[in-house]
Amino acid sequence: MSDRRDVQVAIDGPSASGKSTVARAVARELGFLYVDSGMLYRALTRAVLRRGRRGDDTDAVVETMRLCRWDMQVEDGAVWLSLDGERVGPELRSPEVAEAVSDVAAIPEVRHFIVEKLRSTRAFGPLVMEGRDIGTVVFPAAAFKFYLDADPAERARRRLRDMAGMGAVAEMEQVQRSLERRDRRDRTRAEAPLQIALGAEVLDTTSLTVDEVVRYIVGRVRAGLARA
Ligand code: DC
């Protein structure tokens, strides 16, 4: 870790394991940039749906990916994506995008393209990136790697709470089924499936608070940086 600006903290894990909340807070505490890698897959998925095409229509997805203009920029401590000049944000968490995004994220051409975009963000400075393949594929040499997990019922409860915060109402059972479907697709796809990266620390967050997880990760990173 000779270059203090070239430091990556990789946080991977299944849907609703608490990655986003934790990664955002860890980045803020450390003064690092926050990068939500799922945002790129979701933004492409929305662009495909807006053109009236489906996420499992590989040709349409790849064509949309090539036609769009992708710009990454830094704002408010995070890296943001603009697709065709439109800054993407929380609206990407709609149920339609959530249902189709795993199909889009399973397409090898899409993964290669987005992995390159994600790798390019290291030039912005030290960062905390969350996703499914950050420690395995995007930054396999990252100095700090964590894998967050929580039991399925707790993840469904967290997702319901997030949805309620955005004014959406859903059934617990339906949310849990949708998470399980997505996890299955993320874990079993041929290209860069969700798995624990070599050297990653696994944290079961089922009975931990966000604060506890954040403090633990920040402590590990600070200790590691002090040793380097
Ligand atoms: O983290 P998220 O829920 O926004 O991710 C949305 C989808 O994108 C999810 O199905 C997994 C996929 N994804 C991925 O395959 N690789 C990443 N690095 C990030 C997300």
Side-chain angles (χ1 to χ4, degrees):
M1 222 185 303
S2 50
D3 181 356
R4 285 276 167 144
R5 288 186 47 78
D6 196 21
V7 179
Q8 292 87 37
V9 179
I11 301 186
D12 289 303
S15 304
S17 55
K19 294 184 310 284
S20 306
T21 314
V22 165
R24 217 176 277 123
V26 167
R28 201 169 40 239
E29 283 278 313
L30 293 169
F32 287 14
L33 290 170
Y34 165 67
V35 192
D36 168 10
S37 66
M39 170 178 68
L40 279 73
Y41 294 96
R42 287 173 181 271
L44 174 58
T45 303
R46 188 181 58 175
V48 169
L49 298 179
R50 274 183 176 174
R51 301 173 95 213
R53 309 301 288 267
R54 292 168 48 101
D56 57 4
D57 181 345
T58 301
D59 291 342
V61 173
V62 172
E63 187 188 300
T64 306
M65 175 184 91
R66 298 214 170 107
L67 288 175
C68 286
R69 200 176 73 249
W70 298 67
D71 296 303
M72 313 283 286
Q73 69 262 135
V74 173
E75 214 181 296
D76 294 335
V79 174
W80 292 96
L81 166 70
S82 287
L83 208 52
D84 281 340
E86 184 186 350
R87 229 284 288 271
V88 302
E91 76 287 352
L92 293 181
R93 303 217 155 256
S94 71
E96 296 74 29
V97 170
E99 276 307 311
V101 64
S102 299
D103 289 326
V104 170
I107 301 172
E109 288 96 319
V110 168
R111 300 210 68 85
H112 297 160
F113 181 89
I114 288 183
V115 164
E116 284 313 312
K117 296 272 171 238
L118 292 170
R119 285 185 180 146
S120 73
T121 61
R122 75 192 290 174
F124 291 130
L127 50 88
V128 178
M129 186 180 288
E130 56 133 323
R132 304 294 189 292
D133 61 342
I134 311 309
T136 50
V137 177
V138 180
F139 295 126
F144 304 98
K145 298 184 192 180
F146 299 91
Y147 184 94
L148 302 194
D149 211 344
D151 74 35
E154 173 60 18
R155 292 196 285 121
R157 271 193 294 276
R158 291 177 186 173
R159 180 50 51 90
L160 267 180
R161 262 201 314 268
D162 286 351
M163 292 171 75
M166 293 188 293
V169 187
E171 295 282 325
M172 170 88 174
E173 237 176 77
Q174 189 195 343
V175 168
Q176 193 163 338
R177 269 204 308 276
S178 159
L179 283 178
E180 278 163 8
R181 235 183 355 256
R182 198 129 64 87
D183 283 351
R184 204 162 37 243
R185 272 184 277 171
D186 291 341
R187 285 185 215 272
T188 56
R189 68 180 174 227
E191 187 84 17
L194 169 66
Q195 54 186 329
I196 301 170
L198 204 67
E201 241 186 285
V202 181
L203 302 178
D204 181 348
T205 70
T206 306
S207 52
L208 297 176
T209 65
V210 169
D211 256 16
E212 286 170 323
V213 181
V214 171
R215 257 186 285 133
Y216 180 80
I217 294 179
V218 168
R220 299 290 287 173
V221 174
R222 289 208 170 118
L225 290 174
R227 272 198 306 273

